[in-house]
Amino acid sequence: MKGKKIIIIGCPGAGKSTFARKLRDLTGLPVFYLDMLFHNPDRTTVGREEFDKRLYVILKKQEWIIDGNYLRTLALRFETCTDVFFFDIPVEQCLANAAARVGQIREDLPWVESEFDEDFRQYILDFPRDQLPKIYELIGQYHSSRSITVFRSRDEADAWLSCLQHQLTK
């Protein structure tokens, strides 16, 4: 998988970061979490210019896995990537998964969540209305020039990784 530029997108709680880590472990590709570019350890955020600067540094690299939605820059990442993995998981499952990770140390976020933030919960609930149409528009635009895989469950993602692992160990 040398030279791959992979984006992993979908609703928070869908399993993107877990998939990104497993894919990194199988391929050796470096993984970058957009939440780590945007959020500071003190729970503040960087401005738009700083975020974009950090993202451009990554996009110029020869290969990468980028985990995160961030709709404002999604078209740019579609333009630059070779592969897209889209987690189109039911909102109820995303809510449950996001709530379950409260209190866990994660490499994709610079702090430990102490509660399930109500604004974040609402963002997940609004994801199908606010984000999915644009994501599917981009998928339609790039489907013939990018490898695009849509997962409707975490089991599908795990099965895909198992197949990749089998291919890599042949």
Side-chain angles (χ1 to χ4, degrees):
M1 294 196 76
K2 289 291 181 198
K4 290 289 189 176
K5 296 180 176 186
I6 299 168
I7 61 173
I8 303 171
I9 58 176
C11 186
K16 299 180 307 293
S17 299
T18 300
F19 183 83
R21 283 189 295 279
K22 290 176 179 179
L23 187 57
R24 174 201 58 204
D25 293 347
L26 286 173
T27 64
L29 294 171
V31 66
F32 300 94
Y33 302 104
L34 294 182
D35 281 344
M36 293 296 283
L37 299 184
F38 184 66
H39 296 284
N40 295 312
D42 65 359
R43 297 180 188 237
T44 61
T45 58
V46 300
R48 178 181 282 208
E49 284 184 33
E50 180 61 24
F51 178 84
D52 291 352
K53 187 169 81 173
R54 292 175 181 185
L55 179 59
Y56 287 126
V57 167
I58 295 165
L59 294 176
K60 290 179 185 175
K61 295 180 181 294
Q62 294 296 313
E63 55 189 22
W64 37 255
I65 299 168
I66 297 177
D67 161 45
N69 228 54
Y70 289 75
L71 196 59
R72 184 180 66 80
T73 62
L74 189 54
L76 173 64
R77 284 176 278 130
F78 260 87
E79 289 172 19
T80 312
C81 75
T82 58
D83 299 77
V84 177
F85 292 96
F86 171 42
F87 283 72
D88 191 1
I89 306 294
V91 169
E92 299 77 23
Q93 186 178 351
C94 294
L95 283 169
N97 294 338
R101 66 186 185 200
V102 170
Q104 296 180 6
I105 297 172
R106 299 167 30 207
E107 70 180 67
D108 58 306
L109 194 64
W111 66 76
V112 175
E113 297 168 301
S114 58
E115 63 182 351
F116 192 21
D117 180 74
E118 186 55 39
D119 290 337
F120 185 53
R121 182 182 181 283
Q122 191 62 52
Y123 177 85
I124 293 171
L125 286 169
D126 294 341
F127 191 89
R129 181 194 71 211
D130 296 346
Q131 308 271 323
L132 282 183
K134 181 64 175 175
I135 291 170
Y136 273 109
E137 178 185 319
L138 288 165
I139 286 173
Q141 183 178 343
Y142 287 95
H143 77 275
S144 63
S145 60
R146 304 292 183 271
S147 171
I148 298 176
T149 304
V150 178
F151 298 124
R152 306 259 183 224
S153 71
R154 287 184 169 197
D155 287 343
E156 286 182 10
D158 288 341
W160 190 93
L161 288 167
S162 292
C163 287
L164 176 63
Q165 183 175 21
H166 180 72
Q167 291 172 4
L168 293 174
T169 57
K170 278 186 177 180

PDB file of all heavy atoms in Angstrom, residues 126-144:
ATOM      1  N   ASP A 126     -27.486  15.537  14.249  1.00  0.00           N
ATOM      2  CA  ASP A 126     -27.691  16.353  13.053  1.00  0.00           C
ATOM      3  C   ASP A 126     -26.834  15.904  11.865  1.00  0.00           C
ATOM      4  O   ASP A 126     -27.015  16.408  10.751  1.00  0.00           O
ATOM      5  CB  ASP A 126     -27.380  17.823  13.357  1.00  0.00           C
ATOM      6  CG  ASP A 126     -28.350  18.434  14.352  1.00  0.00           C
ATOM      7  OD1 ASP A 126     -29.457  17.875  14.540  1.00  0.00           O
ATOM      8  OD2 ASP A 126     -27.991  19.463  14.965  1.00  0.00           O
ATOM      9  N   PHE A 127     -25.908  14.982  12.093  1.00  0.00           N
ATOM     10  CA  PHE A 127     -24.978  14.565  11.044  1.00  0.00           C
ATOM     11  C   PHE A 127     -25.667  14.113   9.757  1.00  0.00           C
ATOM     12  O   PHE A 127     -25.274  14.547   8.667  1.00  0.00           O
ATOM     13  CB  PHE A 127     -24.048  13.461  11.577  1.00  0.00           C
ATOM     14  CG  PHE A 127     -22.902  13.152  10.678  1.00  0.00           C
ATOM     15  CD1 PHE A 127     -21.705  13.847  10.782  1.00  0.00           C
ATOM     16  CD2 PHE A 127     -22.999  12.162   9.708  1.00  0.00           C
ATOM     17  CE1 PHE A 127     -20.642  13.568   9.947  1.00  0.00           C
ATOM     18  CE2 PHE A 127     -21.944  11.879   8.861  1.00  0.00           C
ATOM     19  CZ  PHE A 127     -20.753  12.590   8.983  1.00  0.00           C
ATOM     20  N   PRO A 128     -26.691  13.279   9.830  1.00  0.00           N
ATOM     21  CA  PRO A 128     -27.338  12.854   8.578  1.00  0.00           C
ATOM     22  C   PRO A 128     -27.904  14.020   7.757  1.00  0.00           C
ATOM     23  O   PRO A 128     -27.816  14.018   6.536  1.00  0.00           O
ATOM     24  CB  PRO A 128     -28.456  11.919   9.041  1.00  0.00           C
ATOM     25  CG  PRO A 128     -28.002  11.421  10.371  1.00  0.00           C
ATOM     26  CD  PRO A 128     -27.262  12.581  10.991  1.00  0.00           C
ATOM     27  N   ARG A 129     -28.445  14.992   8.418  1.00  0.00           N
ATOM     28  CA  ARG A 129     -29.017  16.144   7.723  1.00  0.00           C
ATOM     29  C   ARG A 129     -27.942  17.119   7.245  1.00  0.00           C
ATOM     30  O   ARG A 129     -27.980  17.604   6.114  1.00  0.00           O
ATOM     31  CB  ARG A 129     -29.990  16.869   8.657  1.00  0.00           C
ATOM     32  CG  ARG A 129     -30.654  18.084   8.019  1.00  0.00           C
ATOM     33  CD  ARG A 129     -31.333  18.965   9.033  1.00  0.00           C
ATOM     34  NE  ARG A 129     -30.305  19.645   9.829  1.00  0.00           N
ATOM     35  CZ  ARG A 129     -30.471  19.989  11.101  1.00  0.00           C
ATOM     36  NH1 ARG A 129     -31.592  19.723  11.735  1.00  0.00           N
ATOM     37  NH2 ARG A 129     -29.515  20.605  11.753  1.00  0.00           N
ATOM     38  N   ASP A 130     -26.954  17.389   8.114  1.00  0.00           N
ATOM     39  CA  ASP A 130     -25.985  18.453   7.845  1.00  0.00           C
ATOM     40  C   ASP A 130     -24.765  18.001   7.042  1.00  0.00           C
ATOM     41  O   ASP A 130     -24.140  18.819   6.379  1.00  0.00           O
ATOM     42  CB  ASP A 130     -25.505  19.070   9.159  1.00  0.00           C
ATOM     43  CG  ASP A 130     -26.615  19.765   9.924  1.00  0.00           C
ATOM     44  OD1 ASP A 130     -27.695  20.012   9.337  1.00  0.00           O
ATOM     45  OD2 ASP A 130     -26.407  20.061  11.117  1.00  0.00           O
ATOM     46  N   GLN A 131     -24.398  16.742   7.132  1.00  0.00           N
ATOM     47  CA  GLN A 131     -23.136  16.287   6.540  1.00  0.00           C
ATOM     48  C   GLN A 131     -23.312  15.270   5.405  1.00  0.00           C
ATOM     49  O   GLN A 131     -22.596  15.327   4.415  1.00  0.00           O
ATOM     50  CB  GLN A 131     -22.255  15.647   7.626  1.00  0.00           C
ATOM     51  CG  GLN A 131     -22.036  16.504   8.852  1.00  0.00           C
ATOM     52  CD  GLN A 131     -20.838  17.405   8.733  1.00  0.00           C
ATOM     53  OE1 GLN A 131     -19.838  17.030   8.179  1.00  0.00           O
ATOM     54  NE2 GLN A 131     -20.959  18.606   9.250  1.00  0.00           N
ATOM     55  N   LEU A 132     -24.217  14.328   5.581  1.00  0.00           N
ATOM     56  CA  LEU A 132     -24.343  13.238   4.599  1.00  0.00           C
ATOM     57  C   LEU A 132     -24.591  13.704   3.166  1.00  0.00           C
ATOM     58  O   LEU A 132     -23.981  13.157   2.244  1.00  0.00           O
ATOM     59  CB  LEU A 132     -25.416  12.241   5.019  1.00  0.00           C
ATOM     60  CG  LEU A 132     -25.043  11.246   6.109  1.00  0.00           C
ATOM     61  CD1 LEU A 132     -26.194  10.277   6.348  1.00  0.00           C
ATOM     62  CD2 LEU A 132     -23.770  10.507   5.798  1.00  0.00           C
ATOM     63  N   PRO A 133     -25.445  14.696   2.924  1.00  0.00           N
ATOM     64  CA  PRO A 133     -25.657  15.097   1.528  1.00  0.00           C
ATOM     65  C   PRO A 133     -24.364  15.535   0.833  1.00  0.00           C
ATOM     66  O   PRO A 133     -24.108  15.153  -0.312  1.00  0.00           O
ATOM     67  CB  PRO A 133     -26.662  16.249   1.636  1.00  0.00           C
ATOM     68  CG  PRO A 133     -27.403  15.971   2.909  1.00  0.00           C
ATOM     69  CD  PRO A 133     -26.361  15.396   3.833  1.00  0.00           C
ATOM     70  N   LYS A 134     -23.533  16.309   1.503  1.00  0.00           N
ATOM     71  CA  LYS A 134     -22.276  16.773   0.905  1.00  0.00           C
ATOM     72  C   LYS A 134     -21.313  15.602   0.709  1.00  0.00           C
ATOM     73  O   LYS A 134     -20.619  15.529  -0.317  1.00  0.00           O
ATOM     74  CB  LYS A 134     -21.644  17.861   1.778  1.00  0.00           C
ATOM     75  CG  LYS A 134     -20.349  18.403   1.217  1.00  0.00           C
ATOM     76  CD  LYS A 134     -20.559  19.103  -0.123  1.00  0.00           C
ATOM     77  CE  LYS A 134     -19.269  19.738  -0.601  1.00  0.00           C
ATOM     78  NZ  LYS A 134     -19.386  20.322  -1.938  1.00  0.00           N
ATOM     79  N   ILE A 135     -21.256  14.692   1.674  1.00  0.00           N
ATOM     80  CA  ILE A 135     -20.375  13.527   1.540  1.00  0.00           C
ATOM     81  C   ILE A 135     -20.786  12.709   0.319  1.00  0.00           C
ATOM     82  O   ILE A 135     -19.945  12.343  -0.507  1.00  0.00           O
ATOM     83  CB  ILE A 135     -20.401  12.668   2.821  1.00  0.00           C
ATOM     84  CG1 ILE A 135     -19.725  13.416   3.970  1.00  0.00           C
ATOM     85  CG2 ILE A 135     -19.721  11.318   2.576  1.00  0.00           C
ATOM     86  CD1 ILE A 135     -19.897  12.760   5.326  1.00  0.00           C
ATOM     87  N   TYR A 136     -22.081  12.443   0.180  1.00  0.00           N
ATOM     88  CA  TYR A 136     -22.532  11.651  -0.965  1.00  0.00           C
ATOM     89  C   TYR A 136     -22.361  12.408  -2.285  1.00  0.00           C
ATOM     90  O   TYR A 136     -22.116  11.790  -3.326  1.00  0.00           O
ATOM     91  CB  TYR A 136     -23.962  11.154  -0.760  1.00  0.00           C
ATOM     92  CG  TYR A 136     -23.974   9.849  -0.007  1.00  0.00           C
ATOM     93  CD1 TYR A 136     -24.413   9.777   1.308  1.00  0.00           C
ATOM     94  CD2 TYR A 136     -23.500   8.690  -0.598  1.00  0.00           C
ATOM     95  CE1 TYR A 136     -24.398   8.576   2.004  1.00  0.00           C
ATOM     96  CE2 TYR A 136     -23.476   7.488   0.090  1.00  0.00           C
ATOM     97  CZ  TYR A 136     -23.928   7.440   1.386  1.00  0.00           C
ATOM     98  OH  TYR A 136     -23.887   6.243   2.066  1.00  0.00           O
ATOM     99  N   GLU A 137     -22.444  13.722  -2.248  1.00  0.00           N
ATOM    100  CA  GLU A 137     -22.163  14.514  -3.444  1.00  0.00           C
ATOM    101  C   GLU A 137     -20.702  14.325  -3.874  1.00  0.00           C
ATOM    102  O   GLU A 137     -20.408  14.122  -5.053  1.00  0.00           O
ATOM    103  CB  GLU A 137     -22.455  15.987  -3.161  1.00  0.00           C
ATOM    104  CG  GLU A 137     -22.145  16.914  -4.311  1.00  0.00           C
ATOM    105  CD  GLU A 137     -22.354  18.370  -3.921  1.00  0.00           C
ATOM    106  OE1 GLU A 137     -23.342  18.674  -3.214  1.00  0.00           O
ATOM    107  OE2 GLU A 137     -21.528  19.203  -4.318  1.00  0.00           O
ATOM    108  N   LEU A 138     -19.783  14.381  -2.912  1.00  0.00           N
ATOM    109  CA  LEU A 138     -18.360  14.189  -3.218  1.00  0.00           C
ATOM    110  C   LEU A 138     -18.082  12.762  -3.684  1.00  0.00           C
ATOM    111  O   LEU A 138     -17.291  12.547  -4.614  1.00  0.00           O
ATOM    112  CB  LEU A 138     -17.495  14.554  -2.011  1.00  0.00           C
ATOM    113  CG  LEU A 138     -17.399  16.051  -1.719  1.00  0.00           C
ATOM    114  CD1 LEU A 138     -16.836  16.295  -0.332  1.00  0.00           C
ATOM    115  CD2 LEU A 138     -16.573  16.755  -2.784  1.00  0.00           C
ATOM    116  N   ILE A 139     -18.723  11.792  -3.059  1.00  0.00           N
ATOM    117  CA  ILE A 139     -18.560  10.401  -3.498  1.00  0.00           C
ATOM    118  C   ILE A 139     -19.019  10.261  -4.946  1.00  0.00           C
ATOM    119  O   ILE A 139     -18.347   9.629  -5.767  1.00  0.00           O
ATOM    120  CB  ILE A 139     -19.312   9.441  -2.547  1.00  0.00           C
ATOM    121  CG1 ILE A 139     -18.548   9.328  -1.220  1.00  0.00           C
ATOM    122  CG2 ILE A 139     -19.494   8.067  -3.193  1.00  0.00           C
ATOM    123  CD1 ILE A 139     -19.283   8.552  -0.145  1.00  0.00           C
ATOM    124  N   GLY A 140     -20.140  10.865  -5.273  1.00  0.00           N
ATOM    125  CA  GLY A 140     -20.627  10.821  -6.649  1.00  0.00           C
ATOM    126  C   GLY A 140     -19.670  11.483  -7.623  1.00  0.00           C
ATOM    127  O   GLY A 140     -19.455  10.994  -8.737  1.00  0.00           O
ATOM    128  N   GLN A 141     -19.079  12.568  -7.183  1.00  0.00           N
ATOM    129  CA  GLN A 141     -18.151  13.310  -8.035  1.00  0.00           C
ATOM    130  C   GLN A 141     -16.856  12.538  -8.276  1.00  0.00           C
ATOM    131  O   GLN A 141     -16.283  12.612  -9.365  1.00  0.00           O
ATOM    132  CB  GLN A 141     -17.849  14.657  -7.372  1.00  0.00           C
ATOM    133  CG  GLN A 141     -16.962  15.587  -8.162  1.00  0.00           C
ATOM    134  CD  GLN A 141     -16.758  16.913  -7.426  1.00  0.00           C
ATOM    135  OE1 GLN A 141     -17.493  17.274  -6.508  1.00  0.00           O
ATOM    136  NE2 GLN A 141     -15.738  17.635  -7.829  1.00  0.00           N
ATOM    137  N   TYR A 142     -16.382  11.802  -7.286  1.00  0.00           N
ATOM    138  CA  TYR A 142     -15.068  11.159  -7.360  1.00  0.00           C
ATOM    139  C   TYR A 142     -15.119   9.645  -7.507  1.00  0.00           C
ATOM    140  O   TYR A 142     -14.075   8.993  -7.532  1.00  0.00           O
ATOM    141  CB  TYR A 142     -14.241  11.518  -6.116  1.00  0.00           C
ATOM    142  CG  TYR A 142     -13.758  12.948  -6.133  1.00  0.00           C
ATOM    143  CD1 TYR A 142     -14.474  13.948  -5.485  1.00  0.00           C
ATOM    144  CD2 TYR A 142     -12.598  13.304  -6.816  1.00  0.00           C
ATOM    145  CE1 TYR A 142     -14.048  15.263  -5.506  1.00  0.00           C
ATOM    146  CE2 TYR A 142     -12.155  14.610  -6.839  1.00  0.00           C
ATOM    147  CZ  TYR A 142     -12.885  15.590  -6.187  1.00  0.00           C
ATOM    148  OH  TYR A 142     -12.459  16.885  -6.214  1.00  0.00           O
ATOM    149  N   HIS A 143     -16.304   9.049  -7.624  1.00  0.00           N
ATOM    150  CA  HIS A 143     -16.403   7.586  -7.612  1.00  0.00           C
ATOM    151  C   HIS A 143     -15.620   6.916  -8.742  1.00  0.00           C
ATOM    152  O   HIS A 143     -15.156   5.790  -8.578  1.00  0.00           O
ATOM    153  CB  HIS A 143     -17.866   7.143  -7.622  1.00  0.00           C
ATOM    154  CG  HIS A 143     -18.524   7.242  -8.959  1.00  0.00           C
ATOM    155  ND1 HIS A 143     -19.095   8.405  -9.412  1.00  0.00           N
ATOM    156  CD2 HIS A 143     -18.684   6.328  -9.939  1.00  0.00           C
ATOM    157  CE1 HIS A 143     -19.577   8.207 -10.626  1.00  0.00           C
ATOM    158  NE2 HIS A 143     -19.355   6.972 -10.969  1.00  0.00           N
ATOM    159  N   SER A 144     -15.446   7.583  -9.860  1.00  0.00           N
ATOM    160  CA  SER A 144     -14.732   6.944 -10.972  1.00  0.00           C
ATOM    161  C   SER A 144     -13.219   7.158 -10.920  1.00  0.00           C
ATOM    162  O   SER A 144     -12.484   6.484 -11.635  1.00  0.00           O
ATOM    163  CB  SER A 144     -15.282   7.441 -12.314  1.00  0.00           C
ATOM    164  OG  SER A 144     -15.066   8.833 -12.440  1.00  0.00           O
TER     165      SER A 144
END
